[in-house]
Amino acid sequence: MLFKASKADIISLLRIPIAFILTFTLLKGYFSLSLVIFIFGALSDFFDGYLSKLYGKSKYGVFIDPVSDRVFMGLSLIGVYFSPLDRNISKFIPLLIIGQDILLSPLGFYMSLLSLKRNMKAKTSPLGKVTTLLQYMFVILVLSVNIFRVSLSFTPFEILVILSSIASGVHHLYIWLHTLRRTVYQPP
């Protein structure tokens, strides 16, 4: 075995195949099954966080969890956007969220490495937790509206997800750049 995985790491890693199964079910139009799979994947994200707080985060979990989160949400949004839903989402939602993840992930990865090297806690934005919850709720809403044929405009919810995603991304950048300035560029 290459590394000793914690329970939280295993749950995080399982979210990746769940994301691919979810995408398949979405693209095939199995929306009720997709909703159950999505909720299961979202709950696994909260459960692995709970376990890592309870037992301590493994040194691999610092990398595994964010990657699993990005893959799960990215594939979920791609699946929702390209699925044969009667009422779909704006293409801006997956483009913004996936694009932001692609742009911010290298810096987040570097900050995780730095925190391990310097034996410090990796700082993240509390807005990130709120944004993740809003994104999960948005996907559940979109699937539910299509399954139960409810008449509801997604626009206000899309705006909320977009604004929270942008605010979270900007706040993460601020935290990381502030941390870099304090730890890497210390005055002589």
Side-chain angles (χ1 to χ4, degrees), residues 87 140-152 154:
R87 302 194 47 235
I140 290 169
L141 174 73
V142 170
L143 291 174
S144 297
V145 162
N146 279 277
I147 291 167
F148 300 110
R149 309 256 186 237
V150 176
S151 177
L152 182 69
F154 294 145

Side-chain angles (χ1 to χ4, degrees), residues 7 17 21 31 64 72 75 120 128 159 162 166 171 178:
K7 291 173 186 171
I21 294 166
F31 302 127
I64 293 169
F72 181 72
L75 287 176
M120 59 188 211
I159 291 169
I162 288 167
I166 291 170
H171 195 231
H178 182 71

Side-chain angles (χ1 to χ4, degrees), residues 15-172:
R15 203 160 36 258
I16 294 173
I18 289 170
F20 282 98
I21 294 166
L22 172 65
T23 304
F24 175 79
T25 60
L26 283 166
L27 295 175
K28 289 294 186 182
Y30 304 131
F31 302 127
S32 295
L33 179 59
S34 297
L35 180 60
V36 171
I37 293 169
F38 182 81
I39 290 171
F40 180 76
L43 288 174
S44 77
D45 185 17
F46 294 107
F47 190 61
D48 71 16
Y50 171 76
L51 287 177
S52 67
K53 280 186 182 22
L54 192 63
Y55 297 111
K57 194 166 233 178
S58 76
K59 64 181 179 179
Y60 303 108
V62 176
F63 303 104
I64 293 169
D65 184 55
V67 168
S68 296
D69 293 347
R70 303 289 72 81
V71 169
F72 181 72
M73 185 50 69
L75 287 176
S76 297
L77 290 171
I78 288 169
V80 165
Y81 182 74
F82 287 107
S83 69
L85 290 167
D86 292 334
R87 302 194 47 235
N88 213 323
I89 61 173
S90 162
K91 67 181 169 193
F92 191 67
I93 297 281
L95 286 175
L96 170 74
I97 293 170
I98 295 168
Q100 180 175 316
D101 287 345
I102 289 169
L103 290 173
L104 292 181
S105 290
L107 182 56
F109 183 76
Y110 175 74
M111 293 306 296
S112 295
L113 280 175
L114 185 64
S115 70
L116 283 175
K117 181 179 176 186
R118 296 187 180 219
N119 201 20
M120 59 188 211
K121 185 179 181 338
K123 292 185 179 178
T124 58
S125 170
L127 287 174
K129 299 283 185 205
V130 172
T131 298
T132 299
L133 180 63
L134 288 172
Q135 290 171 357
Y136 285 160
M137 290 170 54
F138 179 70
V139 172
I140 290 169
L141 174 73
V142 170
L143 291 174
S144 297
V145 162
N146 279 277
I147 291 167
F148 300 110
R149 309 256 186 237
V150 176
S151 177
L152 182 69
S153 172
F154 294 145
T155 305
F157 303 102
E158 288 178 326
I159 291 169
L160 183 62
V161 168
I162 288 167
L163 291 176
S164 69
S165 296
I166 291 170
S168 173
V170 169
H171 195 231
H172 271 99

